[in-house]
Amino acid sequence: MASRTRDDGAGEGRVRLYCLAHAGAGVASYRRWPAAAGTAVQVTPLPLPGRENRRREPRITDRAALLADLLPDLLTAARRGPYALYGHSLGALVAYTLTRALADAQAPPPLLLAVGACPPPHTSTALVGAADLPDTDLLPLLETLGSLPSGTSAWPGGLWRRSVLPVLRDDLRLAASLRAAALHPATGGPVTCPVLVFAGSDDPLTEPATLAHWQRWTTGPVVSHTVTGDHFFADSPDLPHLVARACRDRLAATATRGRR
């Protein structure tokens, strides 16, 4: 984990922005973020086990395994300087879970928690509880989100069906575990930092109005944005600009308070 959260030359005053991806995916959606975010924000994608350069590692399906994997070195990183988290869909639940666990460990809170394309934990979507549906029921749900590839890859025996669908099912199991933990008084409840909420204008899974209910999950302010796109808008050119600007604004506000 240390190699995934090290500063990599981050200078004083830079915000480290940790980014977490949607279910079934790696962090390729964030490849353009460093250039778009600017020099004041260091974008650090955090791939989960079982994909990309971690593809040989066992996948995780519950909160305990997630925290064992990501939390120790993120605790160290949180104490080094200003940071923020952005999570997309499943990644938003991961980012929320990490923020709560960091608070429980009495670590410095992030400047902000940014969540995209994810309804708050107390609400439901068609994919909640879908991890163990038969393919004949799950694949139509995924098709409505635009998750199925074109061509024969999603057919029985196809590459997507063999390599991506098992990852996606385990990620849906992880999402269910994180939602349940968020609703438990011992492991859930509101965070204390500001929450920045993003919705896709054409997202069939999460309507912008639903995302307003994230207010229940923080004692800080909530700011909502709707960006152009469907459920998979993490590679939208507008998104990294908006998140980076919020990071810079929060860093400036924190510095101003510190000088008073």
Side-chain angles (χ1 to χ4, degrees):
M1 173 63 183
S3 64
R4 299 191 292 279
T5 59
R6 67 181 187 273
D7 280 333
D8 290 332
E12 184 178 356
R14 292 183 73 187
V15 178
R16 283 162 290 116
L17 175 62
Y18 297 109
C19 298
L20 297 129
H22 60 271
V27 292
S29 295
Y30 300 114
R31 64 186 180 277
R32 296 190 182 94
W33 278 49
T39 58
V41 176
Q42 177 189 316
V43 176
T44 304
L46 295 180
L48 295 180
R51 63 216 78 200
E52 296 174 320
N53 64 334
R54 306 191 67 191
R55 63 186 177 277
R56 297 187 184 279
E57 300 178 42
R59 296 190 293 271
I60 56 180
T61 58
D62 59 55
R63 181 180 185 270
L66 174 75
L67 295 184
D69 183 73
L70 293 182
L71 185 60
D73 289 320
L74 197 57
L75 278 168
T76 301
R79 296 181 175 115
R80 287 202 301 259
Y83 71 103
L85 295 98
Y86 174 79
H88 196 85
S89 196
L90 164 69
L93 292 174
V94 173
Y96 159 81
T97 301
L98 290 170
T99 303
R100 280 290 311 136
L102 286 161
D104 291 342
Q106 299 184 327
L111 293 174
L112 59 87
L113 166 64
V115 296
C118 182
H122 66 285
T123 63
S124 183
T125 72
L127 288 179
V128 173
D132 296 312
L133 289 176
D135 288 357
T136 52
D137 294 329
L138 178 58
L139 267 60
L141 289 177
L142 299 178
E143 188 172 20
T144 65
L145 298 179
S147 295
L148 293 186
S150 57
T152 61
S153 183
W155 292 9
L159 179 62
W160 182 92
R161 196 82 161 254
R162 289 184 285 108
S163 61
V164 178
L165 185 58
V167 178
L168 179 58
R169 286 187 179 278
D170 277 349
D171 283 352
L172 291 177
R173 295 181 181 103
L174 175 60
S177 173
L178 299 185
R179 285 184 179 276
L183 295 171
H184 194 284
T187 52
V191 299
T192 59
C193 63
V195 174
L196 194 61
V197 183
F198 293 94
S201 58
D202 300 309
D203 185 350
L205 184 66
T206 307
E207 296 181 359
T210 302
L211 299 186
H213 296 294
W214 271 101
Q215 183 64 71
R216 170 174 165 176
W217 295 91
T218 179
T219 59
V222 173
V223 177
S224 299
H225 295 276
T226 300
V227 299
T228 301
D230 56 17
H231 187 68
F232 303 102
F233 59 81
D235 59 356
S236 162
D238 296 330
L239 185 56
H241 290 291
L242 291 168
V243 177
R245 185 177 68 190
C247 288
R248 293 192 299 269
D249 289 348
R250 283 285 301 155
L251 183 62
T254 301
T256 299
R257 287 197 300 270
R259 291 192 294 269
R260 291 175 182 171

